[in-house]
Amino acid sequence: MAQRQWKKRRWLGIALLLVAVLLLGLGETALKGRLAPGIYVLYWTACLFALGLAVLVALFDIRAVARDARREQRELLKKIIEDLPLNPPLRKPPPPEPGENQEE
């Protein structure tokens, strides 16, 4: 389910960026000087709107990726803690140094 949402966000962002780039390209080449002043303002408002939506989708995607990473990190930490032994073996005492009294 999460991967499907991830794909939707990415494709939506790509589509919005393509629309903004296409509008920018058309506005600077084929439509330059041919649009009436009112249409000109609406055209560039639509281009800016598509770009703004692409930025918003990107910000939501960043937020979702960070949320998923935090969730996976918590799950991994929880699994590591659950896998720890309850009674870890005691450390062996260090061997006696030469010259110390040894019990016989």
Side-chain angles (χ1 to χ4, degrees):
M1 183 80 159
Q3 186 169 356
R4 192 171 70 200
Q5 291 173 350
W6 173 83
K7 284 183 178 182
K8 283 181 183 179
R9 280 192 309 266
R10 298 286 165 92
W11 280 110
L12 180 61
I14 289 170
L16 288 169
L17 277 176
L18 287 175
V19 166
V21 167
L22 181 66
L23 288 173
L24 176 68
L26 284 174
E28 285 297 316
T29 57
L31 299 176
K32 192 170 190 170
R34 296 182 182 180
L35 296 175
I39 302 296
Y40 179 82
V41 170
L42 288 176
Y43 181 84
W44 288 109
T45 302
C47 183
L48 185 63
F49 184 72
L51 184 61
L53 283 178
V55 169
L56 282 176
V57 168
L59 290 174
F60 283 128
D61 189 44
I62 290 170
R63 188 173 163 202
V65 168
R67 183 187 62 233
D68 292 343
R70 279 192 309 270
R71 183 181 326 126
E72 287 180 20
Q73 192 175 28
R74 277 194 306 268
E75 289 172 3
L76 181 60
L77 184 61
K78 185 177 179 181
K79 183 181 181 305
I80 289 171
I81 290 173
E82 288 173 354
D83 289 346
L84 287 175
L86 293 177
N87 295 319
L90 297 175
R91 270 191 347 189
K92 292 182 180 178
E97 293 186 18
E100 287 186 13
N101 292 337
Q102 296 180 0
E103 294 180 27
E104 293 182 28

